[in-house]
């Protein structure tokens, strides 16, 4: 087929229809035109077809004329009896006028006629015009305009049905219209700042020009723009493939209708009848056999289970040379399992991109309006550059006055937006119970902490954390950042997006909104204040980790001589920098105790048996760790460095102690003889224990490493 009509496309205007179909009903209505209409509809092309719903009269109706004016393309099916209809010729005349005045694009189809006969009005066209001249007169202006319109349309290169299979011809015309239509449609990506570079990165990764079959994964947290990127690429390149299909919302569709429904949707795109298969195996077989020799583009959007990939895009053998499959997901492990080698991680927008995008929603411009700059920056900071949050909050704040903005920004600090939360929690809901616990611990207690130390703490609490944290990372809920300490040593830090942290903390708060003592985790000094004030039962608290505040003055003033009720389920307690003399009974369930700068002279261990695995009380006022005999059968690590310790406690009830740090205990004068019996002790640190008077030499034979006094 040669080039069709080409005139400059007019400035954007309001279109109602993509295509207007002009045809002679008695020739093609129930055959060729019906098939062409169905093919256009399948490709999402809105098509006007006069199905005799409009009232017929001598002249063409105003409704039909308006439909032509409101269309981007006109497909004119020139059949043997087309010119015999004055109605069709009026349509054609209007189509030519709209082409010349409005930029309407004309696609002629010569169906059962020779293009030369149409152009020179021979054969049935000659007979038809002879009758029109007899009716309207040989010099009629109407007939002259009809002839001119027919000559102009027939001069365009179009589609000729001669020697062609009708099904192939129909599909070729529909694809041609679709290819020319897509670039002229308004892009939904125009206002999404910062996505252009990401689209380019993924497109390069796909290597469109190569003949291999390639799967490309687009991975990231919810709301980061994965679908937007995939959609932009799909719209830009779909015309380069024989078959293209964008399967959106796969997770949601599978939850409601199952994978079989998705197979049938894909089958429709490759013209497989819904009734052809009724089970997943047949669906896989038919999809593979239908596509294995075709160049296809498929987008599998929001995949959350590897079975979805196995049943929709099993492997590269399913598709013909040059095919491309894009997969968007929150789960990196899913891509690894399906052996998707080319993966792109979508990150949040940077501050500049985020501000522009937010302003496009909140002000319909690139920069904030006067008086809104500071609040705009605050909202952008709150979102952490997450496009979904920027869009939701920007749209919500659009058109509101300054006082409404102040109120909304204040509300954000305490109540997460429901729409944002709904999207983010999808990944959380997919976790098992242990993974949820670890996610909540990181969100509430350990964000920003060294990964190795957090793993160690989880292990001491009885978890198997490595695989679980790997899952959280693969599902875009937790990230690992590289850092360098003061000695230039590299280490990994556990991080997560601020909105994910807020979501996790909100889940814990909702366990008991009004009574912190009934929540599983406490991390806020204000909540501990409330717990001490309410003096309610604390049987549900599992972890308490308080942030350091200056020199701890706040804690000293507010909690002096306060009593903490018994916490029967407490597993982890971090009171670092809490220098207030709090009355607390250490529960027997506690596994890890950290209390740097502890003001107490002895630990309140009132029971005989404890679950403690680690005690770290450095820089403390501890003089005697505990009195008498205590059975701590699981205690492995004891750090009393830089404390006021005068003598080590009786450790005969601590059978598996591995490390004992007594460094810089300047008041230490005596090591309890029970230490001699410890066969599992690996490290004993006595550095700078300058007051130590006696040291049992036989201890050195029982473990691997000792740091001697004064070294």
């Amino acid at each position: 087929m040669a080039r069709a009509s080409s005139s400059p496309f007019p400035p954007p205007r309001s279109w109602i229809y993509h295509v207007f179909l002009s045809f002679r009903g008695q020739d093609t209505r129930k055959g060729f035109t019906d098939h062409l209409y169905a093919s256009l509809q399948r490709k999402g092309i809105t098509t006007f077809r006069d199905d005799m719903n409009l009232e017929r009269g001598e002249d063409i109706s105003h409704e039909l004329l308006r439909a032509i004016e409101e269309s981007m393309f006109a497909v004119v099916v020139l059949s043997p009896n087309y010119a015999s209809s004055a109605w069709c010729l009026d349509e054609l005349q209007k189509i030519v006028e709209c082409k010349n005045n409005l930029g309407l694009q004309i696609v002629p189809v010569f169906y059962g006629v020779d293009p030369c006969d149409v152009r020179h009005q021979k054969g049935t066209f000659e007979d038809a015009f002879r009758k029109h001249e007899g009716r309207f007169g040989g010099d009629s202006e109407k007939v002259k305009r009809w002839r001119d319109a027919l000559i102009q349309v027939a001069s365009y290169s179009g589609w000729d049905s001669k020697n062609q299979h009708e099904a192939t011809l129909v599909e070729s015309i529909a694809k041609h219209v679709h290819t020319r239509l897509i670039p002229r449609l308004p892009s939904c990506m125009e206002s999404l700042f910062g996505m252009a570079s990401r689209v380019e990165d993924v497109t390069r990764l796909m290597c469109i020009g190569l003949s291999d079959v390639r799967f490309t994964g687009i991975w990231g947290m919810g709301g980061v723009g994965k679908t937007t990127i995939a959609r932009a690429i799909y719209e830009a390149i779909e015309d380069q493939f024989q078959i293209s299909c964008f399967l959106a919302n796969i997770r949601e569709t599978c939850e409601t209708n199952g994978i079989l429904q998705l197979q049938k949707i894909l089958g429709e795109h490759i013209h497989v009848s819904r009734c052809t298969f009724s089970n997943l195996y047949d669906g896989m077989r038919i999809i593979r056999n239908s596509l294995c020799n075709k160049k296809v583009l498929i987008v599998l959007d929001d995949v959350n289970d590897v079975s979805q990939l196995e049943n929709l895009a099993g492997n590269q053998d399913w598709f013909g040379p040059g095919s491309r499959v894009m997969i968007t997901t929150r789960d990196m492990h899913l891509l690894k399992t399906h052996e998707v080698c080319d993966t792109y991680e979508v990150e949040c927008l940077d501050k500049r991109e985020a501000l522009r995008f937010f302003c496009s929603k909140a002000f319909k411009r690139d920069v904030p309006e006067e008086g809104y700059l500071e609040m705009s920056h605050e909202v952008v900071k709150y979102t952490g550059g997450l496009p979904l949050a920027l869009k939701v909050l920007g749209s919500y704040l659009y058109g509101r006055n300054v006082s409404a903005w102040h109120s909304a920004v204040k509300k954000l600090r305490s109540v997460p937006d429901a729409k944002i939360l709904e999207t983010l929690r999808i990944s959380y809901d997919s976790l098992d119970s242990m993974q949820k616990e670890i996610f909540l611990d990181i969100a509430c207690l350990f964000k920003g902490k060294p990964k190795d130390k957090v793993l160690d703490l989880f292990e001491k609490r009885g978890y198997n954390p490595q695989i679980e944290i790997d899952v959280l990372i693969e599902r875009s809920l937790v990230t690992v950042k590289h850092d360098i300490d003061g000695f230039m040593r590299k280490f990994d830090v556990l991080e997560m997006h601020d909105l994910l942290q807020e979501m996790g903390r909100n889940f814990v708060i909702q366990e008991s909104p009004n009574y912190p003592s009934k929540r599983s985790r406490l991390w806020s000094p204000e909540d501990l204040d409330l717990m001490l004030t309410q003096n309610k039962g604390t049987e549900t608290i599992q972890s308490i980790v308080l942030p350091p505040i200056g020199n701890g003055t706040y804690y000293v003033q507010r909690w002096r001589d306060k009593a903490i009720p018994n916490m029967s389920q407490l597993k982890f307690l971090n009171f670092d920098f809490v220098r207030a003399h709090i009355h607390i009974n250490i529960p027997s369930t506690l596994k890890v105790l950290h209390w740097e700068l502890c003001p107490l002279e002895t630990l309140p261990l009132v029971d005989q048996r404890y679950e403690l695995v680690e005690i770290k009380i450095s820089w403390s006022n501890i003089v005697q760790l505990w009195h008498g005999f205590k059975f701590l059968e699981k205690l492995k690590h004891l750090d009393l460095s830089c404390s006021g310790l005068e003598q080590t406690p009786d450790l005969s009830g601590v059978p598996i102690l591995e490390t004992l740090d007594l460094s810089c205990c300047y008041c230490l004068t005596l090591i309890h003889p029970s230490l001699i019996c410890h066969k599992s002790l690996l490290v004993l640190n006595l550095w700078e224990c300058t007051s130590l008077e006696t040291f049992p030499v036989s201890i050195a034979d029982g473990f691997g490493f000792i740091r001697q006094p004064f070294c």
Side-chain angles (χ1 to χ4, degrees), residues 234-274:
Y234 178 84
E235 292 181 358
I237 67 174
E238 62 174 315
D239 61 304
Q240 302 177 37
F241 298 82
Q242 292 174 277
I243 293 175
S244 55
C245 177
F246 194 110
L247 285 176
N249 304 317
I250 286 178
R251 174 190 55 79
E252 187 176 339
T253 303
C254 281
E255 288 175 356
T256 54
N257 299 309
I259 301 178
L260 185 63
Q261 174 68 16
L262 288 163
Q263 286 185 332
K264 291 182 176 181
I265 294 173
L266 181 56
E268 287 184 348
H269 281 266
I270 57 180
H271 315 305
V272 175
S273 171
R274 278 180 175 268

Side-chain angles (χ1 to χ4, degrees), residues 395-454:
S395 301
Y396 174 72
L397 292 169
Y398 172 69
R400 301 186 187 277
N401 59 32
V402 173
S403 61
W405 271 61
H406 279 296
S407 175
V409 170
K410 183 179 180 181
K411 179 181 177 182
L412 283 176
R413 298 190 188 105
S414 57
V415 183
D417 182 88
K419 291 181 181 178
I420 301 171
L421 189 63
E422 180 182 1
T423 297
L424 295 179
R425 75 169 297 156
I426 290 170
S427 296
Y428 173 82
D429 289 339
S430 69
L431 302 175
D432 65 29
S433 58
M434 180 60 71
Q435 291 158 0
K436 287 179 179 179
E437 289 296 308
I438 291 178
F439 171 81
L440 293 178
D441 277 342
I442 295 173
C444 297
L445 313 173
F446 301 129
K447 178 188 172 187
K449 303 298 183 183
K451 180 183 176 182
D452 288 346
K453 292 185 178 180
V454 176

Side-chain angles (χ1 to χ4, degrees), residues 8 14 67 108 124 145 195 215 293 320 362 428 490 493 530 633 640:
S14 177
T124 58
R145 288 194 296 271
M195 283 295 158
F215 285 26
N293 293 314
Y428 173 82
K490 297 180 180 179
V493 174
L530 192 56
E633 58 181 330
L640 302 170

Side-chain angles (χ1 to χ4, degrees), residues 76-97:
V76 182
V77 183
L78 297 163
S79 57
N81 294 302
Y82 185 91
S84 65
S85 167
W87 185 282
C88 287
L89 293 173
D90 279 339
E91 272 185 10
L92 191 67
Q93 179 186 330
K94 180 65 176 178
I95 287 169
V96 169
E97 289 176 3

